[in-house]
Amino acid sequence: MNIHNAEIEVSAVKKGQYPTSGYPEIAFVGRSNVGKSSMINKLLNRKSLARVSSTPGKTITINFYNIDDTIYLVDLPGYGYAKRSKAEVESWGEMMDDYLNSRPQLKKVMLLVDSRHEPTNDDKMMLEWVRASRPEEGAIVIATKTDKLKKRELETNLVMLERELSLTDEDILVPFSTKTDEGKITVWDMINMLMD
């Protein structure tokens, strides 16, 4: 995709702050520090449009990235980060639930998991939510940080992820690396298909 202009338009914590343009939205969800912001930067050919941190739980807002006034890529807060108060976790849950369940512009939620590790219970629960929200569609799972594994390790881990997440023939598992560009074109192809 040829991107002429990409900018963060809104960082929202409640429905009243969401964009009102009506452009379709593709959301990325995953546990804290799985690489959502890094992936968005890679997809948009930007170094630091989405703020990247080595500290888990940095993204605490829903960030809407406007791409050429045609589509939003949406970075959702990471889940599973323990160093948050109970009130913060509850507030996060309500914010996520509200967006994911009531946003008509939301075309697809793509789940990111770390290719180096077994999926967590939170990953599995999120995938179940993704499936339940759109039972007629296959899930899209993006396995991040593939450059940190040797080729054979990666092959083994991709099989493990398919098994642990109970992926079916309808689902798509995309290996992705911000270092090597692996998966970048595939993710854009899927986004473009969702826009048609």
Side-chain angles (χ1 to χ4, degrees):
M1 181 173 185
N2 289 326
I3 298 167
H4 302 291
N5 191 40
E7 60 184 8
I8 184 162
E9 184 170 310
V10 175
S11 291
V13 294
K14 58 186 178 184
K15 190 183 290 188
Q17 298 171 330
Y18 298 165
T20 57
S21 61
Y23 303 142
E25 297 168 8
I26 304 293
F28 300 107
V29 68
R31 67 180 177 79
S32 295
N33 225 24
V34 75
K36 294 184 301 297
S37 300
S38 296
M39 188 183 79
I40 287 172
N41 285 332
K42 175 57 71 172
L43 290 172
L44 301 180
N45 298 318
R46 304 292 194 274
K47 280 202 168 71
S48 55
L49 181 63
R51 271 174 271 158
V52 177
S53 173
S54 57
T55 307
K58 199 71 174 172
T59 303
I60 54 172
T61 54
I62 300 176
N63 296 325
F64 293 82
Y65 295 91
N66 181 333
I67 317 303
D68 290 333
D69 290 332
T70 57
I71 180 178
Y72 289 106
L73 299 188
V74 184
D75 187 6
L76 298 173
Y79 52 75
Y81 182 53
K83 291 186 181 177
R84 290 225 184 279
S85 70
K86 189 177 178 188
E88 282 180 307
V89 171
E90 285 176 3
S91 172
W92 174 92
E94 288 170 14
M95 177 175 67
M96 293 281 284
D97 201 50
D98 189 50
Y99 173 74
L100 293 170
N101 284 308
S102 65
R103 187 69 173 157
Q105 293 91 335
L106 180 60
K107 296 294 181 189
K108 192 75 176 177
V109 180
M110 299 187 186
L111 172 66
L112 277 67
V113 296
D114 192 323
S115 66
R116 300 170 298 173
H117 308 295
E118 287 195 10
T120 65
N121 286 334
D122 287 335
D123 290 328
K124 293 175 183 178
M125 284 171 54
M126 181 54 72
L127 182 58
E128 286 309 306
W129 182 90
V130 170
R131 290 188 192 289
S133 68
R134 286 177 168 74
E136 70 285 357
E137 299 176 11
I140 298 174
V141 178
I142 300 171
T144 62
K145 307 186 182 187
T146 57
D147 54 276
K148 297 182 184 293
L149 292 169
K150 295 189 172 84
K151 190 176 180 201
R152 178 157 286 182
E153 288 175 320
L154 177 59
E155 289 169 358
T156 301
N157 282 19
L158 292 176
V159 171
M160 175 272 293
L161 287 171
E162 286 181 0
R163 182 185 67 245
E164 292 296 318
L165 293 170
S166 302
L167 299 185
T168 70
D169 291 342
E170 301 296 309
D171 303 322
I172 300 171
L173 179 62
V174 183
F176 195 95
S177 167
T178 57
K179 297 279 193 297
T180 67
D181 284 3
E182 179 180 30
K184 179 179 173 181
I185 292 172
T186 303
V187 172
W188 267 123
D189 284 347
M190 290 188 297
I191 291 172
N192 289 329
M193 282 171 60
L194 291 163
M195 295 302 100
D196 290 343

